[in-house]
Amino acid sequence: MDYFIKGNGNFQSLQVYKISLVISDGTEIFIKKYIDAKSRTVDQMGQAARSCKQNLVEGSEVAPTSKQMEMKLTNVARASLSELLEDYEDYLRFNNLEIWGKDHPRIKRLRSYLKTEKFLNEYQKLFQKINAEEFCNLMITLIYQERYLIDGLLKRQQKRFLEEGGFKENLYKARTKFRNNQSNLSNPNDPSNPNFPNNPSSLSSPNTPSNPSNPSSPNTLP
């Protein structure tokens, strides 16, 4: 039997998930190092970072039965990143620190470094060494890269929905196919029944006598 509810693969192996995990971990470290524990910003930044990761996870889990919900949750993840981006930029402005623009001499190297496995393996240690300005600009750059990955993910989700349809549509197709197959199996005269003879005219009745006058008859004696 062909099952129509199919798994969505291992989402933890996707780069978009790996980066969301770094953003979540990094934000927790940043909050503890640089934000007053009594500030509302602690909860605001922590929830936004966690929301991105968790909505990507939940979207992947519900995808087999609701591609619409998968896309909605993926978009929520992107919106959470925009909120977090604003918080990091606000911190730099409020503390008279530089926001590195695209032409900043360190940005090009930073972008390349953030795409490497080396960064993914050592970011925990790195976050303990860098200063507030470096930390914020690293996270801002990482958020931009993650939004790009999420945009690509959304496009693939939309394409898959258009090509494969939604859960209800596939449920109806699967049920209709199953009922048709059951109906065919219960009707032995239906040509689509696997038990229906391929060529009934080639089968002779066991009561049909051989024709001795026919030289081509296999029962003709010499």
Side-chain angles (χ1 to χ4, degrees):
M1 179 184 293
D2 294 330
Y3 292 97
F4 56 92
I5 299 181
K6 299 179 181 179
N8 208 32
N10 180 16
F11 65 88
Q12 292 179 334
S13 66
L14 300 177
Q15 188 73 2
V16 67
Y17 171 78
K18 293 178 181 179
I19 299 301
S20 74
L21 182 61
V22 176
I23 291 173
S24 181
D25 290 349
T27 299
E28 288 299 318
I29 296 172
F30 179 83
I31 289 170
K32 292 176 181 177
K33 288 184 68 174
Y34 299 112
I35 305 296
D36 187 338
K38 298 179 182 179
S39 172
R40 292 180 59 187
T41 304
V42 170
D43 288 337
Q44 183 174 309
M45 293 185 71
Q47 289 175 4
R50 187 175 184 276
S51 173
C52 173
K53 179 174 72 71
Q54 294 304 111
N55 277 289
L56 288 175
V57 172
E58 187 176 353
S60 179
E61 290 296 321
V62 303
T65 56
S66 180
K67 288 184 172 58
Q68 296 95 320
M69 182 59 69
E70 177 192 28
M71 290 184 282
K72 179 180 179 180
L73 291 170
T74 303
N75 199 53
V76 171
R78 191 186 190 286
S80 297
L81 281 181
S82 297
E83 181 182 346
L84 186 61
L85 175 65
E86 193 74 11
D87 287 328
Y88 279 112
E89 291 178 339
D90 285 346
Y91 182 91
L92 290 172
R93 281 195 297 270
F94 295 159
N95 291 277
N96 296 315
L97 299 173
E98 183 181 4
I99 299 177
W100 299 351
K102 64 180 181 178
D103 297 323
H104 191 280
R106 299 181 66 180
I107 279 292
K108 186 175 181 179
R109 294 198 309 273
L110 179 60
R111 287 174 177 169
S112 298
Y113 170 63
L114 295 181
K115 296 177 181 178
T116 64
E117 286 295 320
K118 185 173 185 287
F119 168 68
L120 292 177
N121 293 330
E122 66 184 17
Y123 71 87
Q124 293 277 4
K125 294 180 180 179
L126 176 66
F127 288 156
Q128 301 297 339
K129 299 177 182 178
I130 55 181
N131 60 42
E133 180 177 310
E134 292 171 327
F135 206 133
C136 286
N137 280 290
L138 184 154
M139 295 301 290
I140 288 170
T141 304
L142 201 60
I143 288 170
Y144 275 119
Q145 290 183 349
E146 178 70 348
R147 290 206 308 190
Y148 176 81
L149 292 174
I150 289 178
D151 286 344
L153 180 62
L154 275 168
K155 289 179 181 178
R156 292 193 298 274
Q157 290 171 352
Q158 293 174 54
K159 183 174 183 289
R160 189 163 62 244
F161 175 75
L162 292 174
E163 291 176 348
E164 300 177 6
F167 175 71
K168 290 183 179 179
E169 182 181 351
N170 288 321
L171 182 67
Y172 175 77
K173 289 178 181 178
R175 179 60 179 162
T176 301
K177 181 179 179 181
F178 177 80
R179 293 182 66 180
N180 287 340
N181 288 341
Q182 291 298 106
S183 176
N184 293 340
L185 289 174
S186 64
N187 183 4
N189 294 320
D190 193 317
S192 61
N193 188 325
N195 295 322
F196 189 82
N198 292 328
N199 187 7
S201 62
S202 66
L203 299 178
S204 60
S205 170
N207 296 321
T208 303
S210 59
N211 184 1
S213 62
N214 185 355
S216 63
S217 172
N219 295 324
T220 303
L221 297 176

